[in-house]
Amino acid sequence: MIPIAKPLLGDEEKRAVLEVLDSAKLAQGEKVAAFEKAFAQFIGVKHAIATSNGTTALHAAILAHGIGKNDEVITTPFSFIATANAIVMAGATPVFVDIEENSFNINPDLIESAITSKTKAILPVHLFGRPADMDKIMAIAQKHNLIVIEDACQAHGAECLISNANLPTTTKKVGSFGTGCFSFYPTKNMTTGEGGIITTNNDEVAAKLRRIISHGSEKRYHHLHLGYNYRMTDISAAIGLEQLKKLPNFNQKRIENAKYLNQKFQQKGLHSKIIVPELVDGHVFHQYTIRVKTQDEESNNNQSKLTRDILLHQLTAKEIGTGVFYPIPIHKQQAYPHLNHLSFPHTEKAAEEVLSLPVHPGLTNDDLYEVVDAVTLAFKNFEDSAEIKND
Ligand SMILES: *Cc1c(COP(=O)(O)O)cnc(C)c1O
C-alpha cells in the first residue's frame, strides 16, 4: 500500500520524546519555548505561540484581533472546514469568495466586491502548500484597513517572491504577511502529533494570544478575560523541534516528487486528460492535486469519460492511496444549512474534479513509478474498452 500521507519520524524524535519523559515535565515548558523560538526564526517573525492544534491556532488568532459578533471575515469555501469553523467559533460570520481555477486559492480579484461595513479581516488559505496571491491580498487589506490572518496549516515553509523596483527579488514565507496559523497534524509537511502555532510580528497580538491559550491569564490564577486551554505539550514540542530541522529537506523532496510526476504524465501523453499542478516557485506541495476534467471543452462528442471517481477506484484497487480534498465545499456542508443555497462555480467544479496523489517525502522511486503507471494504465484500459464498445 502506498499511503497518501505518512509522517517521517526517526531516532531523533524518539530520543527527544524520551528525554521529555525522563524529565517528568510533560506540559508546556522549556521545549515549547525552544520550539516557538525556532519556528519564529524559520518563518521570519518576532513571535510564535504554540497551540494544541491548527484549529485552536485559527480560533485564538481571530479572537486576538478582537474579531467576533457582527464581524465578517472573507475567506475561501474550498478548504478544510476548520477554516470556517474557527470564524464561527469566534462568533463572527464567514463570507466566501470563489477560488482561482489554477491555484485553487481565493481569487483576489473577487475580494473587494465582498467587502461590507462589517468586514474585519481577510483569511486566505495557502491550499495544498501553494501560497495565495499575498501581493494583491495585502494591497486590498491595506486599502480597506483590514486584518489578514493566514491559514498556513498546509504550507510550512512555503514562500512568495517579492519583487521590489530597485532591489533584487527576495522571498517571504507565508505566515509572515499577516497573523499566520499552522497545523502539525501527522499528515502535514511536519508534525508534532497534534499541534499548531501562530506567528506574528505584533507584540500586542502576541501577548493577547498567550492569554487566550491559557484561560486569560498572564499570572497564574489571575484571569483578565475569557480564555481556553489551547496549549501545546513539551512532548509535542520536542518532536516539533526535530521535525523543523528536517522540514527543508522534506519540502525539497515533495517539490522533486511533484516535478517528476508532472514530467512523467506529460511524457505519457496524459496532459490532455488531466490537469497537473503548476510548478510555481515557493509551492511546498502539501498535496499533489490533479484535475480529471469533467467535460471535453474542445469537442462536443458525448463519448463517456474516465471520471475522477473511476480513477480513484482503480488506484485504490491497486493499493495506491489517494485523497479528494475536498469533495464538498464548505458552503454545501450539512453543518452550514443556511449557506447551502450559495454558489461558487469554480469551487464546485474543483470539488468534482480534484484528486490528490501521493507526493510525500517517504515515497521511493518505485512508489512514484507505480503511481504514474497506475494512472496511465487506468486511462489506457478505459479507452480500450470504449473502443470495443464503439466497434
Ligand atoms: C489541517 C488544517 C486545519 C486544522 O488543523 P488541525 O491541526 O487539524 O486542527 C485548518 N485548515 C487547513 C487548511 C488545514 O489543512
Side-chain angles (χ1 to χ4, degrees):
M1 176 76 197
I2 303 175
I4 182 71
K6 184 172 115 184
L8 287 182
L9 300 158
D11 290 339
E12 299 81 4
E13 286 82 355
K14 287 176 194 164
R15 256 198 309 270
V17 168
L18 286 177
E19 198 191 303
V20 174
L21 295 184
D22 285 338
S23 79
K25 291 183 202 156
L26 307 186
Q28 183 156 325
E30 279 169 30
K31 291 289 177 191
V32 169
F35 180 51
E36 288 176 338
K37 198 174 160 206
F39 200 83
Q41 196 167 24
F42 174 70
I43 298 298
V45 292
K46 249 171 109 176
H47 308 278
I49 296 92
T51 61
S52 49
N53 58 60
T55 309
T56 54
L58 283 163
H59 184 210
I62 295 163
L63 292 174
H65 282 285
I67 297 166
K69 209 165 178 283
N70 297 321
D71 295 335
E72 292 177 354
V73 178
I74 293 174
T75 191
T76 165
F78 197 54
S79 181
F80 180 51
I81 198 157
T83 310
N85 283 356
I87 298 167
V88 175
M89 283 158 70
T93 304
V95 173
F96 296 121
V97 161
D98 207 358
I99 57 167
E100 296 174 312
E101 204 165 359
N102 293 340
S103 73
F104 299 115
N105 284 326
I106 192 167
N107 185 341
D109 298 332
L110 302 177
I111 290 177
E112 277 195 295
S113 61
I115 294 174
T116 72
S117 58
K118 293 181 175 176
T119 308
K120 284 281 153 59
I122 309 173
L123 203 164
V125 179
H126 307 294
L127 201 70
F128 305 146
R130 176 170 174 163
D133 190 339
M134 294 314 291
D135 250 1
K136 284 191 185 168
I137 291 169
M138 294 312 288
I140 296 165
Q142 200 156 31
K143 183 174 158 197
H144 297 271
N145 197 22
L146 300 174
I147 293 151
V148 174
I149 298 171
E150 303 173 64
D151 182 338
C153 287
Q154 303 188 355
H156 320 65
E159 47 194 27
C160 302
L161 294 182
I162 307 294
S163 38
N164 255 329
N166 304 315
L167 299 165
T169 302
T170 55
T171 58
K172 189 170 160 63
K173 289 212 166 61
V174 305
S176 69
F177 291 88
T179 300
C181 301
F182 295 82
S183 163
F184 302 120
Y185 190 74
T187 56
K188 312 284 170 155
N189 293 38
M190 62 172 282
T191 187
T192 63
E194 294 270 11
I197 207 162
I198 307 150
T199 51
T200 177
N201 280 314
N202 185 320
D203 298 346
E204 227 173 284
V205 168
K208 189 143 182 224
L209 281 167
R210 296 226 170 269
R211 296 197 300 271
I212 288 167
I213 67 160
S214 246
H215 287 296
S217 64
E218 266 163 18
K219 197 170 137 194
R220 204 171 257 188
Y221 309 126
H222 292 67
H223 307 279
L224 304 176
H225 51 72
L226 181 69
Y228 303 84
N229 175 359
Y230 281 175
R231 295 181 304 264
M232 180 182 272
T233 68
D234 261 20
I235 304 170
S236 293
I239 300 171
L241 275 164
E242 299 306 322
Q243 288 273 296
L244 184 58
K245 289 182 209 161
K246 300 177 181 181
L247 179 65
N249 284 335
F250 287 169
N251 282 345
Q252 193 50 44
K253 189 74 182 18
R254 285 178 182 274
I255 294 162
E256 280 164 22
N257 290 347
K259 280 187 184 158
Y260 175 89
L261 291 172
N262 271 15
Q263 203 176 40
K264 288 292 169 194
F265 288 142
Q266 170 93 20
Q267 279 173 13
K268 302 278 182 187
L270 288 183
H271 47 283
S272 59
K273 302 180 178 76
I274 60 175
I275 299 171
V276 299
E278 292 174 328
L279 294 169
V280 296
D281 287 331
H283 189 332
V284 292
F285 286 94
H286 171 63
Q287 297 295 349
Y288 177 91
T289 304
I290 63 168
R291 271 181 193 268
V292 184
K293 296 192 227 172
T294 45
Q295 299 152 7
D296 215 334
E297 266 135 28
E298 62 265 33
S299 70
N300 53 3
N301 66 33
N302 44 23
Q303 230 175 28
S304 63
K305 294 205 66 166
L306 187 139
T307 63
R308 186 268 311 276
D309 291 329
I310 298 172
L311 179 58
L312 185 157
H313 284 120
Q314 298 209 359
L315 295 178
T316 308
K318 293 199 165 162
E319 303 208 301
I320 293 169
T322 57
V324 174
F325 310 113
Y326 295 90
I328 305 172
I330 298 176
H331 65 284
K332 296 294 184 192
Q333 293 286 350
Q334 270 190 47
Y336 290 115
H338 58 293
L339 302 178
N340 290 173
H341 69 282
L342 296 174
S343 162
F344 300 100
H346 285 305
T347 295
E348 284 151 35
K349 189 155 178 251
E352 283 177 21
E353 294 186 344
V354 289
L355 185 66
S356 296
L357 303 175
V359 75
H360 58 83
L363 297 172
T364 64
N365 289 345
D366 283 351
D367 292 339
L368 284 165
Y369 190 78
E370 248 183 80
V371 172
V372 172
D373 209 37
V375 173
T376 311
L377 209 64
F379 278 98
K380 191 177 177 301
N381 287 344
F382 189 83
E383 273 151 31
D384 288 352
S385 69
E387 251 167 53
I388 293 166
K389 270 184 225 147
N390 285 348
D391 280 349

